[in-house]
Amino acid sequence: MDKNFLQTLLIDVAEGRLTPEEASDKLKTLPYEDMDFAKIDTHRALRTGRGEVIFGIGKTPGQVAAIMKRMSSDTSPVIATKVGPEYYEAAKAEIPEGLEYHEQAKLLVYKTEPSPLSCTPAAGVAVVCAGTADIPIAEEAAVTAELYGTSVTRYYDVGVAGIHRLMDKIEDIRNADAIVVVAGMEGALSSVVGGLVDAPVIAVPTSIGYGASMGGLAALLAMLNSCSLGVSVVNIDNGFGAGYLASLIVKGKE
Amino acid sequence: MDKNFLQTLLIDVAEGRLTPEEASDKLKTLPYEDMDFAKIDTHRALRTGRGEVIFGIGKTPGQVAAIMKRMSSDTSPVIATKVGPEYYEAAKAEIPEGLEYHEQAKLLVYKTEPSPLSCTPAAGVAVVCAGTADIPIAEEAAVTAELYGTSVTRYYDVGVAGIHRLMDKIEDIRNADAIVVVAGMEGALSSVVGGLVDAPVIAVPTSIGYGASMGGLAALLAMLNSCSLGVSVVNIDNGFGAGYLASLIVKGKE
Amino acid sequence: MDKNFLQTLLIDVAEGRLTPEEASDKLKTLPYEDMDFAKIDTHRALRTGRGEVIFGIGKTPGQVAAIMKRMSSDTSPVIATKVGPEYYEAAKAEIPEGLEYHEQAKLLVYKTEPSPLSCTPAAGVAVVCAGTADIPIAEEAAVTAELYGTSVTRYYDVGVAGIHRLMDKIEDIRNADAIVVVAGMEGALSSVVGGLVDAPVIAVPTSIGYGASMGGLAALLAMLNSCSLGVSVVNIDNGFGAGYLASLIVKGKE
Amino acid sequence: MDKNFLQTLLIDVAEGRLTPEEASDKLKTLPYEDMDFAKIDTHRALRTGRGEVIFGIGKTPGQVAAIMKRMSSDTSPVIATKVGPEYYEAAKAEIPEGLEYHEQAKLLVYKTEPSPLSCTPAAGVAVVCAGTADIPIAEEAAVTAELYGTSVTRYYDVGVAGIHRLMDKIEDIRNADAIVVVAGMEGALSSVVGGLVDAPVIAVPTSIGYGASMGGLAALLAMLNSCSLGVSVVNIDNGFGAGYLASLIVKGKE
Amino acid sequence: MDKNFLQTLLIDVAEGRLTPEEASDKLKTLPYEDMDFAKIDTHRALRTGRGEVIFGIGKTPGQVAAIMKRMSSDTSPVIATKVGPEYYEAAKAEIPEGLEYHEQAKLLVYKTEPSPLSCTPAAGVAVVCAGTADIPIAEEAAVTAELYGTSVTRYYDVGVAGIHRLMDKIEDIRNADAIVVVAGMEGALSSVVGGLVDAPVIAVPTSIGYGASMGGLAALLAMLNSCSLGVSVVNIDNGFGAGYLASLIVKGKE
Amino acid sequence: MDKNFLQTLLIDVAEGRLTPEEASDKLKTLPYEDMDFAKIDTHRALRTGRGEVIFGIGKTPGQVAAIMKRMSSDTSPVIATKVGPEYYEAAKAEIPEGLEYHEQAKLLVYKTEPSPLSCTPAAGVAVVCAGTADIPIAEEAAVTAELYGTSVTRYYDVGVAGIHRLMDKIEDIRNADAIVVVAGMEGALSSVVGGLVDAPVIAVPTSIGYGASMGGLAALLAMLNSCSLGVSVVNIDNGFGAGYLASLIVKGKE
Amino acid sequence: MDKNFLQTLLIDVAEGRLTPEEASDKLKTLPYEDMDFAKIDTHRALRTGRGEVIFGIGKTPGQVAAIMKRMSSDTSPVIATKVGPEYYEAAKAEIPEGLEYHEQAKLLVYKTEPSPLSCTPAAGVAVVCAGTADIPIAEEAAVTAELYGTSVTRYYDVGVAGIHRLMDKIEDIRNADAIVVVAGMEGALSSVVGGLVDAPVIAVPTSIGYGASMGGLAALLAMLNSCSLGVSVVNIDNGFGAGYLASLIVKGKE
Amino acid sequence: MDKNFLQTLLIDVAEGRLTPEEASDKLKTLPYEDMDFAKIDTHRALRTGRGEVIFGIGKTPGQVAAIMKRMSSDTSPVIATKVGPEYYEAAKAEIPEGLEYHEQAKLLVYKTEPSPLSCTPAAGVAVVCAGTADIPIAEEAAVTAELYGTSVTRYYDVGVAGIHRLMDKIEDIRNADAIVVVAGMEGALSSVVGGLVDAPVIAVPTSIGYGASMGGLAALLAMLNSCSLGVSVVNIDNGFGAGYLASLIVKGKE
């Protein structure tokens, strides 16, 4: 709970601007907003510094639009993940301004300008992906990190089958404060990058592949067993989670 | 959060008995120390009659003995699960009286007499198992339910390969208020019993079997897919969990 | 087999009211009704106190409608699970009155008024779900429990990512005699709720998620391994089973 | 290789009716017919007593029709499995007479009358299935056994959730020389039947179910772990294989 | 339930030889013998023609010896499966005569002479195994079939890596009325044999192998997917089950 | 890195033909071409003797067409795998000449004539497949090997269910320098072929089958556990990989 | 490759201080030390800022001791993971000073004083674990982070079954710059912590549990599917990896 | 079957040197030697150019020694795989000369001098392994290839975590005609090597690792999904198979 909020409220009571009953009601409920089908965690921005994110899978376009509209009144940015263009259409009908849709990344965003998130221009995230087919997930990570005020550099299609493409870029990649590595199939790229850099590596297995790739499970297992140090893993195709985490890691780095 | 507590505190502020700063400090730790859920937990054993249970796997005999000794000063019964006889030896060195060890069930218990748990003699639990090899897990369930003051009847070795053995007992089993069904291999017994009774059935898959039984996974999956109504499932070999849940279900049944 | 029924029948034979042949026929056949593609278990209501339920998956709308029509003559409620609106249409053509269709829950119900099931207004079931996307399965559980005469309170979108939403409601949830917890993804909600309440918790994993959620398997495994006591699990997305079991548990509680 | 055939051929060589070269060619090639995309095993009927069967999955309607036409000139019955009605349409264009299509069983058959397969009217196969949704696979088994000249009795919707339906029929089922048990979900029916009969039981797991049924894997594992004797298992949804095997088993029984 | 038994009993009631109460008791209880830790299905021999079999895994030597002793008074043969030599020692202390222990097959048998099981000398079972390491499971099958009065021929170490070893024996194998095929690793032998014979093939996957054999799962899956007709499968390493089933199949074949 | 290249470059520096800065830039960058969404490994043909291959899954028709066009200026053949006819249409709009599309094999190829790849007419690859449904993957392998200048002979529909079809061809198959075996279901063919030949066998499991075939996993595991020597395995349905590898193996064989 | 290094070297060539051959040799070989059974990556400290770590599993005590001795001449700390006390004994025989062995954490360390790693006293890592049995893995993480100069605070046995224990500490935990969460069984703790903090959470599943925990797989899957933001995962029981990554993340935070 | 053999035999019959009966017997039986528990494929050396290999798992030391003795009379080398030193002891008692035991590789070999296998000194195999713990499997591959007359170069401990160790050796590795890559954990090495070379790569996953390595499954899946061309895979820990295959591939390369 935000101490400033608490003290303001208690001073209001002490100075008679609020009755104890009114304050009690305010205090008893940590702020969230109860919609018919969702409880919006409006307190989250205070608690963790960032607003809640709308996970799109299993929600209708109408539900996402309604939640986004309600949140847009006091949060920026508001992000919905894993949503198709029909969600953008539904949201536009509700929120006339400030929306943007990232098609490859499948991210729907409401944003006021200027962004309230503090930028850290000196620090940055490298997003590295193995193949062209992994780009949508890489973009999900890159756009997310940018939305949280992080500077991002992209290194795409540098998989280990032609490792000189990676080697050519490795000096630049080493400058990043956090590195997101996106790869499907055998997921070897995170181990190779992890052995060459000193920054934390967030590995994102993708579902790209067929047969024994088992929907990304092969890449996931490989990344979890990385022999390189400093590598951790998020869920298959979870570009958003990787971008979010990367922006957390670089926050406060000089 | 308890509204009365809040109002009292706020009135203290309003009436000057507390400065806003003091109240702020008290309020800030409230959600963790003074909220209902934290208090309830410290009074949990008194209110619900049940203390914390010590899960033995991964703990040393010395650790279990020490935890048990500390708890024995204000809780009864104290139960440690999945422990071998060496745990009993270690505990005896710490706690001279009130210990009992159930060898088949691998339960170590500290208990004062008379048991503080209210008995419900009119209600009861039936523990049914498929084969002789399932008896240790069945005993774990039965002894647990008894420790929580429940009357238990055992029906062992009544698996579906000779279904008349079950049919002969089914009238008695129907009298129970909750039924624990313990079976390995194909786990069919819970579906058959579930189709014949009206009480809740708690299915316990066991790791008895070989080959495609895969350590109890075959029985677990079968029980989860039961076509009979009123069947739920606990972890493989989790006799304790089933006995505990059974005693919860029958509590308060007339 | 009911001993009273047996003795009555045998006395009838002993006293000449039945020939041995007639008695033999009676003994061999418990009542069920044989349709072309289904054998309706009309004896079930007598045997277990509740009529058979129609599992919709793999049956055509016409088959469900026909079974429902036949059962509606002597059972109430008649429930078909996991059926889309086309089943409602097919049933309406057969059964002009008493049908209701729960769209989110995908339950089709025939019901006479007043409901023959005894109400237990003092006892009740809490249905708790983690996210908006889990609501259809939560509704399947809630509507089912209501159909069996149980009072239900819903607590939706209170997942562990913003645990204060759950904490705000936990006092109310504690009043329930049985709690259904519905969650996908990592399924952590059942462990958190299980640690805060004293009533039996029925955990329902859902297939909500992607990648390593593996169609709900991740949530299922998590719930089976719950470190909290009093938690059992039903099949992935089996809201009906959870609601049914919850109504069984609360039956007879004061 | 048939020794009589060998000796006849060698005697022909010894007595000059065949040159060594001719005999060598004959010996090297057992009869089959080479189509563009298939090699029809015309020798199979001689070798095993029954003609080759066309497995429909992965073949186009045109391919199945062409293979069937070619085989129909010297084999009866010719059976194609797991084919939809469009295969029937394609075959009708090629083979004007003798075709029949079993819609539920998804079997396409070419048959001359009278059937060349020897009937065994005194012996018979019982096909037992658990639920209405399992009927298509049960029909695949039943029709197949009939095509191979076996007498079949069907016992459908007698799953273990209402076991008296099975008990009512068990005396009849015991008369069969081989029993096919078809069940999805938890697959318990094969164990229950297996414990009550003396004939071989062929268990067919079906993909009916959802969630932890994992496409029939739960039923498959349960059936493989059956605690009853005399039970063997075929692939998930392999009604054809069960019916075929059943007809083999009863062949030659009095 | 046997109708003759029922009618006899009811006539006894009608004619006053039994009171209704006596008949009721008789009707409710089919015969089995209740030991402390086991319920022996003494009715099984009557019901299915063969006595119960003792599954050794999870039972102590003392338990197996006690069950065997009790059964030996009215059954022959009595068979315990998957038991080591220590079980033989324990049984010898209880049963002085008629015991035999098959070390490779891990079968412990009590048998009176002459065997009460009807022999079928004209019919026979072929037990075929792929490698030397599969012999213990093959012996389990072969000895079992012999114990049930079947004539058995063994064909060991004829795996597909040197397929001419199989081809050399295939004419003999074709004479069998049922064929048990035992193979680990890739389990291909059952498909090859199945394509060459006309009799039912019972495939037994073994746990022989390493790495991706996954304890026999690779062989199990291969055998379930056999492209040959007439093949069914039992559990990994279940030689007993295969031998038992084979003896059932050949029973009554001329 | 090529030492000759390095020494030449360093001599150029030593002798003043290159400044250290120029050399440094040359050393840091091996050649590849950076497109917007792909980095073409133009160095690959130099490095490994063969150009990069375009893996079609997850790329749009437009992306494949653009990459292919760029590569076609200095590489032949250019191959895209696992692409449908819409990719052919897209490529034709970009590349007017030299394209060919292999429909069954789903391979799109750009090729100048005469092929720059050295032919090895004396050596050859046998592509063997089990069933008609496996032909598309077999064709993917066969066409690929041909594109790399290898002579290929096809042996289709020779699965183990009618093993004489294979035996009839085995002498011819033995003449090959490398053998690709394509099979779904139980994948036994690679073991049988492997036991009869002396050349390396590349096994390709296919996803043909249903139920316990689990999308080709059963065949994959069987092939990995082959008891025959000289067998290695590629991914499920990876005909391209097998054909490519086969052409590598035969290269340089006399 | 470091461009400065390259340019210096090339300038040396241009200015005649190195012959092209000498430069070529230098360029081709980055430094590592070739032992009989290991190649020590002595360049790693330069490349990534930290020396190589010895993964103990599969190496003999003698091998670990020899590698450690060789590395100890120019690196500090040298760390071997997952090693028992016998490795400590073997190392002591080789390295008389500077060794320490962490028994619970199973870490063997060689360290000169003062540690060469820069401390960041203002920043810190919280290591949180669910149960007593998870402490060894938590210690592995905590000791590792300390070895890399990070300040660590431990919060042990605060699992979700008694969530007030966690809530009581949460304000302190929020002060950490990175949080390691160690939990077995259902792994719910990482989601709960992740929802309450703003720092990156590194989740470590442990193999603590039984039955459906499947050696830690249940916890792993749950953590990968966390609904909380900012959570990434390392391998089961990989405390070292988590501690290492945590120390990387906090490096450079003010 | 060899046509020359057939024709010779048939000519013998035609010209009266063989009776038809004698020829029939000869035709039916290809040579193998029938021991009590094994059928030695003595024909294999003729058929495939190399003698049978004894797979040690599941065989007793006595069985291996006896088979080896029998084979040693006409084959060299005779190889037994996956055997411990006790097998060596048993064999020494039977075969006084010509035995050698490779302890790390767990290979027991009988060999006459000079080796009858043709050497190909100009061609060679590179055996590359990722870590020290993978060396035993690498040695199994290397020794095997040497036994079949191939020249082998070893590159050990060059895993991707310090990729410059591999890069330093890559020029040498490129000279090999076939490359065996042995790696556990994430198995990335085969993809990296595969992208840098032009020769066939045989990938051997090892069981080195813990947790999500699942006994080598993670490495196996990664290798099967390799994005590099020319890579095929053998079973987990199957060093023998890889060495054998490598020697086949290089045979006949100039």
Side-chain angles (χ1 to χ4, degrees), chain E residues 67-245:
Chain E
I67 297 173
M68 195 165 241
K69 184 178 170 59
R70 192 76 68 95
M71 291 177 70
S72 68
S73 61
D74 54 7
T75 313
S76 170
V78 181
I79 304 177
T81 66
K82 307 275 180 202
V83 292
E86 70 276 21
Y87 287 74
Y88 182 28
E89 294 309 314
K92 275 195 295 197
E94 297 286 332
I95 308 171
E97 274 176 55
L99 281 181
E100 60 189 41
Y101 180 62
H102 299 261
E103 190 165 357
Q104 266 193 312
K106 291 187 143 194
L107 291 170
L108 178 60
V109 183
Y110 166 83
K111 215 170 60 176
T112 55
E113 294 297 347
S115 166
L117 290 171
S118 58
C119 285
T120 53
V125 168
V127 176
V128 181
C129 88
T132 299
D134 301 315
I135 291 179
I137 301 303
E139 275 298 296
E140 190 184 344
V143 172
T144 297
E146 288 170 342
L147 286 168
Y148 286 105
T150 312
S151 119
V152 173
T153 317
R154 290 154 169 88
Y155 305 88
Y156 289 175
D157 198 22
V158 294
V160 299
I163 207 166
H164 65 291
R165 297 176 300 188
L166 174 66
M167 290 307 185
D168 180 43
K169 300 294 188 191
I170 198 68
E171 284 308 306
D172 289 344
I173 295 172
R174 275 188 188 136
N175 291 328
D177 294 293
I179 300 165
V180 173
V181 175
V182 179
M185 303 179 82
E186 85 275 61
L189 188 58
S190 57
S191 290
V192 173
V193 170
L196 293 164
V197 301
D198 191 27
V201 171
I202 306 162
V204 189
T206 73
S207 53
I208 294 300
Y210 63 96
S213 120
M214 294 198 251
L217 191 61
L220 171 63
L221 292 176
M223 286 167 163
L224 284 165
N225 284 283
S226 178
C227 59
S228 293
L229 304 176
V231 178
S232 65
V233 187
V234 295
N235 194 5
I236 298 165
D237 289 339
N238 189 5
F240 172 78
Y244 185 95
L245 177 55

Side-chain angles (χ1 to χ4, degrees), chain H residues 54-170:
Chain H
I54 307 165
F55 174 56
I57 293 179
K59 295 196 182 72
T60 64
Q63 288 176 326
V64 168
I67 297 173
M68 194 165 242
K69 184 178 169 61
R70 192 77 67 97
M71 291 177 70
S72 69
S73 61
D74 54 8
T75 313
S76 169
V78 181
I79 304 177
T81 66
K82 306 276 180 202
V83 291
E86 70 277 20
Y87 287 74
Y88 183 29
E89 295 308 315
K92 274 195 295 197
E94 297 285 332
I95 309 171
E97 274 177 55
L99 281 183
E100 61 189 40
Y101 181 62
H102 299 261
E103 190 165 358
Q104 265 192 313
K106 291 187 143 194
L107 292 169
L108 178 60
V109 183
Y110 165 83
K111 214 170 62 178
T112 54
E113 293 297 346
S115 164
L117 289 172
S118 57
C119 284
T120 53
V125 169
V127 176
V128 181
C129 89
T132 299
D134 300 316
I135 291 179
I137 302 301
E139 274 299 295
E140 190 183 344
V143 171
T144 297
E146 287 170 343
L147 286 167
Y148 286 105
T150 312
S151 117
V152 173
T153 319
R154 290 155 169 86
Y155 305 88
Y156 288 176
D157 199 20
V158 294
V160 299
I163 206 166
H164 66 291
R165 297 175 302 188
L166 174 67
M167 290 307 185
D168 181 43
K169 299 294 188 192
I170 198 68

Side-chain angles (χ1 to χ4, degrees), chain F residues 177-178 198-200 245 248-254, chain H residues 50 117-127 141-142 144-153 173-180 199-202 242-254:
Chain F
D177 293 294
D198 191 26
L245 177 55
L248 274 190
I249 289 173
V250 303
K251 203 177 63 177
K253 297 244 176 180
E254 75 280 10
Chain H
R50 295 173 175 200
L117 289 172
S118 57
C119 284
T120 53
V125 169
V127 176
T144 297
E146 287 170 343
L147 286 167
Y148 286 105
T150 312
S151 117
V152 173
T153 319
I173 295 172
R174 274 189 189 136
N175 290 328
D177 294 293
I179 300 165
V180 173
V201 171
I202 306 161
Y244 185 96
L245 177 55
S247 74
L248 274 191
I249 289 173
V250 303
K251 204 178 62 178
K253 298 242 176 182
E254 72 278 16

Side-chain angles (χ1 to χ4, degrees), chain D residues 1-3 41 43-44 47-53 148 167 170-171 174 194-202 217 220-221 224-226 228-236 238 240-241 244-245 248-254, chain E residues 1-3 41 43-44 47-53 148 167 170-171 174 194-202 217 220-221 224-226 228-236 238 240-241 244-245 248-254:
Chain D
M1 230 178 293
D2 182 348
K3 207 166 178 178
D41 185 353
H43 183 247
R44 189 181 156 80
R47 198 172 68 238
T48 72
R50 295 174 176 201
E52 200 179 10
V53 171
Y148 286 106
M167 290 307 185
I170 198 68
E171 285 308 307
R174 274 188 188 135
L196 293 165
V197 302
D198 190 26
V201 171
I202 306 161
L217 191 61
L220 171 64
L221 292 176
L224 284 166
N225 284 284
S226 178
S228 292
L229 304 175
V231 178
S232 65
V233 187
V234 297
N235 194 6
I236 298 164
N238 189 6
F240 172 79
Y244 185 96
L245 177 55
L248 274 190
I249 289 173
V250 302
K251 205 177 62 178
K253 298 242 176 183
E254 74 283 8
Chain E
M1 231 179 289
D2 182 350
K3 207 167 177 178
D41 185 353
H43 183 247
R44 189 181 156 80
R47 196 173 69 239
T48 72
R50 295 174 175 200
E52 199 180 11
V53 171
Y148 286 105
M167 290 307 185
I170 198 68
E171 284 308 306
R174 275 188 188 136
L196 293 164
V197 301
D198 191 27
V201 171
I202 306 162
L217 191 61
L220 171 63
L221 292 176
L224 284 165
N225 284 283
S226 178
S228 293
L229 304 176
V231 178
S232 65
V233 187
V234 295
N235 194 5
I236 298 165
N238 189 5
F240 172 78
Y244 185 95
L245 177 55
L248 274 190
I249 290 173
V250 303
K251 204 176 63 178
K253 298 243 176 182
E254 73 278 13

Side-chain angles (χ1 to χ4, degrees), chain B residues 36 40 44 48 171 174 195 197-198 200 224-225 229-230 232-233 235 240 244-245 248-249 251-254, chain C residues 1 44 47-48 171 174 197-198 200 224-225 229-230 232-233 235 240 244-245 248-249 251-254:
Chain B
D36 243 345
I40 287 167
R44 182 182 166 93
T48 70
E171 284 308 307
R174 275 190 187 135
V197 303
D198 191 26
L224 285 166
N225 284 285
L229 304 176
S232 64
V233 187
N235 194 5
F240 172 79
Y244 185 96
L245 177 55
L248 274 190
I249 290 173
K251 204 178 62 178
K253 298 243 175 180
E254 75 277 15
Chain C
M1 232 179 288
R44 189 182 154 81
R47 196 173 70 238
T48 73
E171 283 311 303
R174 275 191 188 132
V197 302
D198 190 28
L224 283 166
N225 284 284
L229 303 176
S232 65
V233 187
N235 194 5
F240 172 79
Y244 184 96
L245 177 56
L248 274 191
I249 290 173
K251 204 177 62 178
K253 297 242 176 183
E254 74 277 14

Side-chain angles (χ1 to χ4, degrees), chain C residues 5 10 54 65 95 106 119 124 127 129 146 153 182 196 206 216 227:
Chain C
F5 170 77
L10 290 164
I54 307 165
I95 309 171
K106 291 187 143 193
C119 284
V127 176
C129 89
E146 287 170 342
T153 319
V182 180
L196 293 164
T206 72
C227 58

